[in-house]
Structures are given as structure tokens and as C-alpha cells.
Amino acid sequence: MLNPLRRHASCRTLAVSLWLAGVTGLPSAFAQPPAAPADDSAQGESLSADVQPAKQGAYLSDWYNQDLMLIGSKDISFGPRPADDIYLEYEYFGRKGPFELYGYIDLPKILDIGNSHDKGIWDHGSPLFMEHEPRISIDYLAGRSLAIGPFKEWYVAFDWIYDHGSRTANRANTLYSGLGTDIDTHSRVNLSANFYGRYQWENYGASNEYSWDGYRAQLKYIVPIDSFSNGASLTYIGFTNFDFGSDLHKDNPARTANATVATNVLLYSFTHLRFTLVGRYFHNGGNWEDGSVLNFGDGEFRTRSNGWGYYAGVGYQF
């Protein structure tokens, strides 16, 4: 039996968190139209005013921001066995007109360091993992605010996740699509939410391939903590993904209908340098039932899909 999810240890990992806080360097031009201001959007485009104002000319673009990061991960439970990895990541984020952009590309095990079942570039595993999360402002396209109570702006939201894999059986290709919103908390807490349906193409040979299978409710939140005389800022970022309604469990008792991942990030950032520590809690990570007995051809083992995983990263924003 092939080992599904054996490669990717960084799906929805540090990159998404860093995007949420990546705006520590975004320029003031990165703003919404007057009909739908986003001065405290939890998606990150204008936190620069709250966290760390951008320096004129500090980046290559006045709206399209990029960074490179080296990330180390430990006990990441998106698969049936926790994975360790050190990987390189390219990340981008920005806002232009109605389009809110975010994405990243990972090169797994770039230093050939990680546990044996986590496969990467140099050991016949996935040479490429990427995720892209564009949102399109409905308010902007409508030319007026569609705010309802605390829901201050609305989006058509997408999340495309692709793991190239070394062959089709080790490949994943998932599209989440739905509706998003920014939420006014009347506080320093920046909040946004997305609700998606999931279409699954390849999924490491799992039974839900090429079908609509389940939903995702996502909540993202940012709290600026402090800024310092050396030009640095400290920010807490968090997001929780609740996946539910999958049919994976119907023909495999080791799989589950629901899965939850809660991520907690501390970001210490300068204009260019960024240092990050992450604690992430998994419950049925990757829709795997914790404690199930599996055998992928190298002996029986019990799944570990509940518990904490950790990341540390250092990057350069440009």
C-alpha cells in the first residue's frame, strides 16, 4: 500500500501565518477603494499601519511583496506519521484593485534533512509543493460597500494546494472555493473568515479523488503586540481550519470525516529580516484517525494525528 501524505509536512504551515503578518512591510498604497476600506483587514494588506510602517523604496514593488525563508519543522501531523523537515520557501502577497493575493512555493527537504518517511527533492519524493489563496473583493467589483453588521467586506475566496509528487500515486491536487469576509472586532484584533467547499483531484491514491468531498471553515486572527526602538515589531498570528463532511471514513476506518488544525505564531520582524516560532495543534490531522494501526510495507505502526507540531523560520522580505 502506498503511503499517502508521506511527503508534505508544511501544508498550511508557516507560510500562511507569515502572509497574515507579512504586511509588516506593505506600503500604504496597498488599500481598498473608499467604498470598502480594509484598514484592519485580517488578511494582512494594511496591518503595516498597526504593526510596522513600510519604508519608502524598501521593497521591489509598492504592492507585490515577496520573501525567501528557510523553515525547520518538527512533528507535523498532516499525514499518519509525524514528519520533520527543513525546506526552502518562496512567498508572495499583495493587494491590487479587487485582487488580494497570497501564495508560496516549497522545496521540501532542501538540505536533505528530515525523517525517512518524509520524502523530498533528493530522495525521490516531491520536488515541489505550493499553495495559492487569492480572494476577489465583491464590494470592489460592485463599487459600493456590502457591509452587514460586523461583516465589513465580502470576497469570492479560493485556496489551491498542489503537491507534485514523484508519481501520480504520490501527488495531491486540491481546490477549495467559497466565500470570505473581513470582520470588524472594534479592537486591535484583526479577524477574517472563509468558508469553502472542497474539490479533490489526486490525493495520494485516497478514495475521494476526483470528487467534491467536504468543506472547510477557516478563521484567521492577528494581534499586534509591540514595536521596539530597534525598528522591530512583535505580532501574534493565528488561524484555525476546521474540515468536515468528508467521505474518506466510509471505506477506511483509519480515516475521519473531520479534521482540525489550530496554528499559533509569534513573528519578530524588521523591514527585511523575519524570525518566526510556531506551535500548531492537530486533531485528526489530514483526516487520519489517531491511534489506527497501518502498514505501508515497512511494518505496522500506529497513526499519530493528534498533538503538537512546531516550526522555526528565518526569512528575508524584499
Side-chain angles (χ1 to χ4, degrees):
M1 179 179 178
L2 293 172
N3 182 352
L5 294 177
R6 70 179 187 177
R7 202 299 295 167
H8 186 57
S10 57
C11 176
R12 286 205 167 273
T13 136
L14 205 48
V16 177
S17 302
L18 292 178
W19 163 50
L20 296 175
V23 292
T24 54
L26 290 184
S28 58
F30 191 40
Q32 299 282 355
D39 293 340
D40 55 351
S41 169
Q43 292 296 331
E45 63 268 28
S46 58
L47 275 181
S48 55
D50 299 322
V51 182
Q52 180 179 325
K55 296 180 180 179
Q56 187 68 30
Y59 307 108
L60 296 181
S61 170
D62 63 354
W63 73 273
Y64 184 79
N65 288 256
Q66 308 167 82
D67 63 62
L68 285 174
M69 180 164 295
L70 188 65
I71 301 171
S73 61
K74 175 71 175 174
D75 292 336
I76 305 307
S77 297
F78 283 107
R81 293 185 281 198
D84 307 334
D85 199 354
I86 295 180
Y87 57 98
L88 185 67
E89 181 168 272
Y90 165 79
E91 181 188 29
Y92 67 87
F93 46 91
R95 173 80 184 241
K96 189 74 168 179
F99 299 104
E100 183 181 272
L101 304 178
Y102 168 72
Y104 65 89
I105 298 172
D106 289 348
L107 303 179
K109 294 185 74 175
I110 189 67
L111 301 180
D112 201 19
I113 297 174
N115 49 20
S116 59
H117 56 270
D118 184 25
K119 302 296 183 181
I121 293 175
W122 311 115
D123 51 6
H124 308 292
S126 173
L128 178 72
F129 182 95
M130 60 183 180
E131 181 170 11
H132 305 279
E133 292 190 71
R135 300 203 307 176
I136 304 171
S137 172
I138 300 172
D139 296 52
Y140 191 105
L141 295 178
R144 63 188 184 90
S145 174
L146 302 175
I148 302 173
F151 304 103
K152 61 184 182 178
E153 185 169 7
W154 297 91
Y155 303 85
V156 178
F158 301 94
D159 184 2
W160 177 45
I161 303 172
Y162 179 73
D163 187 357
H164 184 66
S166 57
R167 58 188 188 277
T168 301
N170 287 339
R171 194 166 297 157
N173 190 357
T174 308
L175 177 65
Y176 293 93
S177 56
L179 191 66
T181 186
D182 293 332
I183 302 170
D184 190 355
T185 66
H186 300 287
S187 72
R188 299 178 70 218
V189 178
N190 294 268
L191 188 64
S192 73
N194 297 305
F195 185 84
Y196 304 106
R198 177 174 67 184
Y199 187 82
Q200 187 68 63
W201 287 286
E202 295 98 333
N203 189 21
Y204 311 104
S207 61
N208 66 340
E209 291 187 329
Y210 301 99
S211 68
W212 288 97
D213 184 53
Y215 307 90
R216 167 169 289 180
Q218 181 184 81
L219 194 66
K220 302 179 180 181
Y221 29 94
I222 306 174
V223 183
I225 297 175
D226 206 352
S227 58
F228 307 97
S229 59
N230 62 357
S233 64
L234 182 65
T235 308
Y236 166 77
I237 311 103
F239 62 95
T240 298
N241 293 329
F242 176 57
D243 295 331
F244 63 98
S246 173
D247 290 333
L248 280 169
H249 66 295
K250 292 184 177 180
D251 61 356
N252 186 342
R255 306 306 295 265
T256 64
N258 303 334
T260 303
V261 180
T263 304
N264 303 276
V265 183
L266 281 178
L267 173 70
Y268 184 71
S269 63
F270 297 87
T271 300
H272 295 290
L273 287 176
R274 301 145 66 79
F275 302 91
T276 307
L277 294 175
V278 180
R280 166 172 276 173
Y281 185 76
F282 298 87
H283 179 71
N284 297 334
N287 291 97
W288 290 96
E289 180 72 42
D290 190 64
S292 299
V293 177
L294 297 174
N295 190 333
F296 293 144
D298 53 357
E300 289 189 350
F301 67 95
R302 288 192 177 273
T303 61
R304 187 276 205 185
S305 57
N306 292 351
W308 285 92
Y310 306 94
Y311 302 85
V314 57
Y316 186 85
Q317 184 173 317
F318 56 94

